[in-house]
Amino acid sequence: MKHEFIIRPATERQRSRSYESDDHERGACEWCEYALVITLATILLIGVSALTVFWVFYYREGYAWADDLPDKQFNLHPTLMVAGFITFSGFSVLLYRICRCFRRIYVKLLHAIFHALAFPCIVIGFLAVLDYHNKKGINNFYSLHSWIGFVAMGLFGIQYAVGFFSFLLLLICNKGTAGFRASLVPIHAAFGILTFVLGVCACLTGLTEKALFSIGVERYSGMVDEGIIINAIGVACIAILAVVMYILSRNKFRTPESRGQHIRASVDL
Amino acid sequence: MKHEFIIRPATERQRSRSYESDDHERGACEWCEYALVITLATILLIGVSALTVFWVFYYREGYAWADDLPDKQFNLHPTLMVAGFITFSGFSVLLYRICRCFRRIYVKLLHAIFHALAFPCIVIGFLAVLDYHNKKGINNFYSLHSWIGFVAMGLFGIQYAVGFFSFLLLLICNKGTAGFRASLVPIHAAFGILTFVLGVCACLTGLTEKALFSIGVERYSGMVDEGIIINAIGVACIAILAVVMYILSRNKFRTPESRGQHIRASVDL
């Protein structure tokens, strides 16, 4: 019996060591995945806007806002919409989900600030194309692209107003509004991801329109460089959508304190 | 003290009655939502294919597969792709999630059968446009639409092969493969929803291309009836995407036995 007592603690120690090393390895793997996904998302989110700016300067003669340069004014539309709906909105969604070490209120403020950066981009991007259409005498809101974009902009505005009012202003009465705010989280999250998906769809249809309008069917089907650049912007948008969906789906990318609280919200994404 | 003992059971009975009625009301609400969402999804999924067939017959002179009628042959492409990627795939995803009363193996078979219906639609839809391009001397795979469609088709094929092999064939050795199959569920589900989203994106960019090619920029911007019909098909695709995402996000729409088992899979959507 004594012999047994001597052996057991040794095997238990070995076992616990082996479990610890398993946990350690799993933790390292998780952090590796976390770092990899964040790096990929950052490269794609900055890359898609950089590629759009490059395309406009290299192939479309840059930007302007003048009566005699409507085509250069139009160039503001794709650039600002990609920046607003993809880059800033994408960063806002990701930061809300992956900022593990910050206090909750700072994460919320970062989420609001990045959406606040997206807001003027979307408004000016919309005014740029509206003014361009009016100057050229083209009808507004006739295409599938414009219909999708209109719904995406409307949802973005409503989401921003509701989010700002409910999750920041109502903090004045923290305890009294906790139940209401908690019940609003899954709705805000679900409509948020829908707005993001609609933003991507609007970008894809807009890029298709622009390629056919500006490059022309003949040259586009001839695989000219500009066509491939426009396609690459679209592919980047889709890659971002895939990465964002992946990050939203992974429970372990949530901030630790919200992981327990908002399990329903996680399921609702 | 005795007086207290007489009163307590009465209030407890009242309380339990009130809880029961609450539960009953909540259950009725859930079933009402369940019925409403299924009806809406069914109308949209059948409606989008019906609208596409109507559009082709009313505005594009119907279907054919002949060397002297390439435009009629092309019409098979949007119809079959909408049927394959939206209607049949949509029903397949929804049936897997909402068939509460069937045995699990029947639900899996239904899921496989609806995807098996989608498969020839996608293959023939692809061959129709490939042959049309070759007949007309147009390059293949130059547009953003074709790139998205190519990835969507590739993913669909891989998903079907992996799903058929892993979740049906491996049932021959049920117990031995249970762990492997369970670990594959969240991956299959995540790539499944990505394939569906890519299918919708391909439809939207394809509809935009078709509107500009066939109706022409001038007439499309003049809000002709055909343009509105094409836009309506696109809007229906987006509405379906929204409904599917909503159903996938609601844990209570899961089959009761899979609700507990695959909580990770639910989070992974």
Side-chain angles (χ1 to χ4, degrees):
Chain A
M1 285 296 285
K2 206 180 176 183
H3 186 64
E4 270 190 40
F5 269 114
I6 294 162
I7 290 166
R8 264 189 198 156
T11 48
E12 268 167 25
R13 229 180 297 133
Q14 275 174 346
R15 259 188 216 156
S16 85
R17 253 188 219 153
S18 125
Y19 282 139
E20 264 168 32
S21 106
D22 269 11
D23 279 351
H24 188 74
E25 247 183 60
R26 207 175 301 129
C29 272
E30 274 191 19
W31 274 101
C32 189
E33 185 193 346
Y34 183 76
L36 205 77
V37 169
I38 292 173
T39 311
L40 182 66
T42 308
I43 290 169
L44 284 169
L45 285 169
I46 296 174
V48 73
S49 271
L51 195 61
T52 313
V53 171
F54 164 78
W55 162 57
V56 167
F57 274 112
Y58 200 81
Y59 296 100
R60 298 277 130 216
E61 299 173 350
Y63 306 97
W65 194 301
D67 285 345
D68 54 336
L69 295 165
D71 288 331
K72 285 192 180 184
Q73 183 182 321
F74 177 87
N75 293 341
L76 286 167
H77 176 65
T79 314
L80 291 174
M81 286 307 196
V82 166
F85 272 118
I86 311 282
T87 304
F88 287 130
S89 294
F91 269 122
S92 181
V93 171
L94 294 190
L95 284 172
Y96 185 79
R97 182 58 67 107
I98 62 183
C99 279
R100 294 166 162 225
C101 317
F102 290 15
R103 277 185 60 199
R104 190 122 200 93
I105 183 69
Y106 295 142
V107 178
K108 277 185 180 184
L109 280 173
L110 263 179
H111 188 66
I113 287 167
F114 269 91
H115 273 312
L117 289 170
F119 204 88
C121 287
I122 292 170
V123 171
I124 300 170
F126 171 61
L127 291 177
V129 74
L130 202 72
D131 193 49
Y132 166 83
H133 272 199
N134 293 341
K135 275 174 187 165
K136 287 238 179 184
I138 304 166
N139 272 343
N140 292 306
F141 297 111
Y142 66 87
S143 66
L144 181 57
H145 163 68
S146 60
W147 289 17
I148 298 170
F150 186 74
V151 176
M153 285 190 299
L155 273 179
F156 184 92
I158 293 167
Q159 281 279 102
Y160 196 82
V162 169
F164 192 80
F165 177 76
S166 309
F167 302 119
L168 290 174
L169 280 191
L170 284 188
L171 286 182
I172 297 164
C173 177
N174 194 359
K175 282 191 179 169
T177 59
F180 170 71
R181 282 183 290 118
S183 68
L184 210 65
V185 168
I187 300 167
H188 184 74
F191 275 97
I193 186 75
L194 183 63
T195 310
F196 191 73
V197 171
L198 283 177
V200 171
C201 289
C203 286
L204 296 175
T205 47
L207 288 165
T208 300
E209 278 191 6
K210 183 66 186 167
L212 295 175
F213 287 156
S214 295
I215 307 176
V217 185
E218 288 295 317
R219 288 183 61 231
Y220 189 36
S221 68
M223 297 283 269
V224 291
D225 293 350
E226 190 183 351
I228 292 170
I229 295 283
I230 289 179
N231 290 1
I233 297 170
V235 170
C237 289
I238 284 180
I240 288 166
L241 183 65
V243 172
V244 166
M245 280 170 69
Y246 178 76
I247 291 176
L248 291 180
S249 73
R250 297 292 269 180
N251 202 33
K252 64 183 173 202
F253 286 144
R254 302 180 74 81
T255 51
E257 72 267 36
S258 72
R259 209 178 292 180
Q261 275 175 23
H262 302 303
I263 194 76
R264 276 187 63 82
S266 141
V267 169
D268 278 335
L269 282 173
Chain B
M1 282 300 284
K2 206 179 176 185
H3 185 63
E4 269 188 41
F5 269 114
I6 296 162
I7 290 166
R8 263 186 199 155
T11 50
E12 269 166 24
R13 229 179 298 136
Q14 275 175 345
R15 261 188 215 153
S16 84
R17 254 187 218 155
S18 125
Y19 282 139
E20 263 169 32
S21 112
D22 269 11
D23 279 351
H24 189 74
E25 248 182 58
R26 209 176 298 127
C29 271
E30 274 189 18
W31 273 101
C32 189
E33 186 193 343
Y34 183 76
L36 204 77
V37 169
I38 292 173
T39 311
L40 182 66
T42 308
I43 291 170
L44 283 169
L45 285 169
I46 295 173
V48 73
S49 270
L51 195 60
T52 312
V53 171
F54 164 77
W55 162 58
V56 167
F57 274 111
Y58 199 81
Y59 295 101
R60 300 275 129 219
E61 298 172 351
Y63 307 96
W65 194 302
D67 285 346
D68 55 336
L69 295 165
D71 289 332
K72 285 193 181 184
Q73 182 182 321
F74 177 88
N75 294 342
L76 286 167
H77 175 65
T79 313
L80 290 174
M81 286 307 195
V82 166
F85 272 118
I86 311 281
T87 304
F88 287 130
S89 294
F91 269 121
S92 180
V93 170
L94 294 190
L95 283 172
Y96 185 79
R97 182 57 68 107
I98 60 181
C99 279
R100 294 166 163 225
C101 315
F102 290 14
R103 276 186 60 197
R104 188 124 202 90
I105 184 70
Y106 297 142
V107 178
K108 278 185 180 183
L109 281 173
L110 262 180
H111 187 68
I113 288 167
F114 269 91
H115 274 311
L117 290 171
F119 204 89
C121 288
I122 292 171
V123 171
I124 300 169
F126 171 61
L127 291 177
V129 74
L130 202 72
D131 193 49
Y132 167 82
H133 273 199
N134 294 340
K135 276 175 187 165
K136 286 239 177 183
I138 303 168
N139 273 341
N140 292 306
F141 296 112
Y142 66 87
S143 67
L144 181 56
H145 163 68
S146 60
W147 290 18
I148 299 171
F150 185 73
V151 177
M153 284 190 301
L155 272 179
F156 184 91
I158 294 168
Q159 281 278 104
Y160 196 81
V162 169
F164 191 81
F165 178 76
S166 308
F167 302 118
L168 290 175
L169 280 191
L170 285 188
L171 286 182
I172 297 165
C173 177
N174 194 359
K175 281 190 181 171
T177 59
F180 169 73
R181 283 184 288 116
S183 68
L184 210 65
V185 168
I187 299 167
H188 183 75
F191 274 96
I193 185 77
L194 182 64
T195 311
F196 191 73
V197 171
L198 283 177
V200 171
C201 289
C203 286
L204 296 175
T205 47
L207 288 165
T208 300
E209 277 191 5
K210 182 67 186 166
L212 294 175
F213 288 157
S214 295
I215 307 177
V217 185
E218 289 294 317
R219 287 183 62 233
Y220 190 36
S221 67
M223 298 282 270
V224 291
D225 293 350
E226 188 182 352
I228 292 170
I229 296 284
I230 289 180
N231 290 0
I233 297 171
V235 170
C237 290
I238 286 181
I240 287 165
L241 183 65
V243 172
V244 167
M245 280 170 69
Y246 178 76
I247 291 176
L248 291 181
S249 73
R250 298 291 269 180
N251 202 34
K252 64 183 174 202
F253 285 145
R254 302 180 74 81
T255 51
E257 72 267 33
S258 73
R259 209 178 290 179
Q261 273 175 25
H262 302 304
I263 194 78
R264 277 187 62 83
S266 142
V267 169
D268 278 336
L269 283 172

